Amino acid sequence: GQNIDQPTEMTATEGAIVQINCTYQTSGFNGLFWYQQHAGEAPTFLSYNVLDGLEEKGRFSSFLSRSKGYSYLLLKELQMKDSASYLCAVLDSNYQLIWGAGTKLIIKP
Amino acid sequence: DVKVTQSSRYLVKRTGEKVFLECVQDMDHENMFWYRQDPGLGLRLIYFSYDVKMKEKGDIPEGYSVSREKKERFSLILESTSTNQTSMYLCASSLGTENTGELFFGEGSRLTVL
């Protein structure tokens, strides 16, 4: 079966760095996505990786290793507004998104 | 900016009642999706559509139906609600002839079935 694993919850301190991991086993691979979802709001697209390596976008970076079925989202200089759930999703061979359950990130002052 | 609008943010229904959730997107996207989101589970795909009048079953279509009569509008219908359909329902759209994975979501419709 298809599976995406990510930690349920993480806590970090304002101003620090946090890494949210995601491992996947899917039928085919057409890209890995990270979405951010604030409580009570819609998910919004953060990043996309299809090739191995690091993609940087401001304070957020996303890394992919296809051979290991692994990705991480790195958040730097954490701000209180980064408190949210972070969803990892893989686009499989049928171009359907397979979603992880999400990681709830709690930022403490 | 793409805007995806869902008709109702909060609904409370009794078992057996019919529910009609409407979703409208304003960016001429070909692809539209209905998901449900439950605590501890990833987003689960109910139905999707890549074109007007076209619909495909997702992973959990049982108990649901959809309608896409116009490109911008994708409706989810629950003919006879049950308590296990209490959930957050999310509509999304994306550009392109196939799903690119970059989805634009509506604000969600939280349905409670008593």
Side-chain angles (χ1 to χ4, degrees):
Chain A
Q2 308 203 89
N3 194 51
I4 306 231
D5 286 318
Q6 49 181 133
T8 304
E9 188 174 294
M10 299 181 71
T11 302
T13 305
E14 190 177 15
I17 299 172
V18 71
Q19 178 175 308
I20 303 174
N21 295 326
C22 171
T23 57
Y24 63 90
Q25 290 178 308
T26 57
S27 302
F29 180 86
N30 282 302
L32 186 141
F33 298 79
W34 286 96
Y35 282 77
Q36 180 189 59
Q37 186 177 25
H38 286 101
E41 297 184 10
T44 55
F45 169 78
L46 277 181
S47 70
Y48 164 65
N49 294 69
V50 67
L51 299 176
D52 288 354
L54 189 68
E55 294 282 342
E56 296 185 81
K57 193 186 290 186
R59 294 188 299 113
F60 292 9
S61 303
S62 56
F63 171 83
L64 174 67
S65 168
R66 287 173 297 171
S67 62
K68 295 182 179 178
Y70 168 70
S71 172
Y72 66 73
L73 181 69
L74 191 71
L75 293 75
K76 302 177 184 176
E77 301 170 13
L78 286 169
Q79 302 175 10
M80 297 303 293
K81 68 179 182 180
D82 297 329
S83 292
S85 288
Y86 292 86
L87 313 180
C88 175
V90 170
L91 197 64
D92 71 8
S93 57
N94 293 320
Y95 290 91
Q96 292 302 326
L97 279 171
I98 311 301
W99 296 84
T103 299
K104 183 178 180 180
L105 178 63
I106 300 167
I107 310 296
K108 295 187 174 180
Chain B
D1 281 352
V2 175
K3 190 161 180 67
V4 180
T5 304
Q6 294 184 225
S7 55
S8 307
R9 288 297 303 274
Y10 301 95
L11 303 96
V12 180
K13 294 291 181 180
R14 298 201 176 276
T15 302
E17 290 186 324
K18 183 174 183 176
V19 173
F20 187 85
L21 300 178
E22 194 166 66
C23 174
V24 179
Q25 50 94 2
D26 66 359
M27 283 301 291
D28 204 34
H29 283 175
E30 284 81 7
N31 311 321
M32 297 190 75
F33 308 84
W34 275 105
Y35 287 94
R36 63 178 283 176
Q37 185 174 35
D38 300 289
L41 300 176
L43 291 170
R44 292 183 290 168
L45 183 63
I46 304 171
Y47 268 96
F48 62 98
S49 170
Y50 286 164
D51 200 355
V52 177
K53 306 274 187 187
M54 178 267 187
K55 58 186 177 184
E56 292 281 349
K57 293 180 179 179
D59 299 318
I60 53 164
E62 296 78 19
Y64 305 94
S65 62
V66 291
S67 171
R68 194 165 182 200
E69 296 296 317
K70 293 184 178 181
K71 189 176 185 180
E72 68 271 18
R73 197 176 298 266
F74 192 37
S75 303
L76 180 69
I77 302 126
L78 292 74
E79 287 288 345
S80 178
T81 52
S82 60
T83 55
N84 62 12
Q85 292 180 310
T86 291
S87 187
M88 171 68 86
Y89 290 89
L90 290 166
C91 174
S93 70
S94 72
L95 186 63
T97 53
E98 283 183 324
N99 183 12
T100 62
E102 184 177 349
L103 303 184
F104 297 85
F105 285 89
E107 292 293 318
S109 299
R110 183 166 293 280
L111 172 66
T112 301
V113 182
L114 303 176

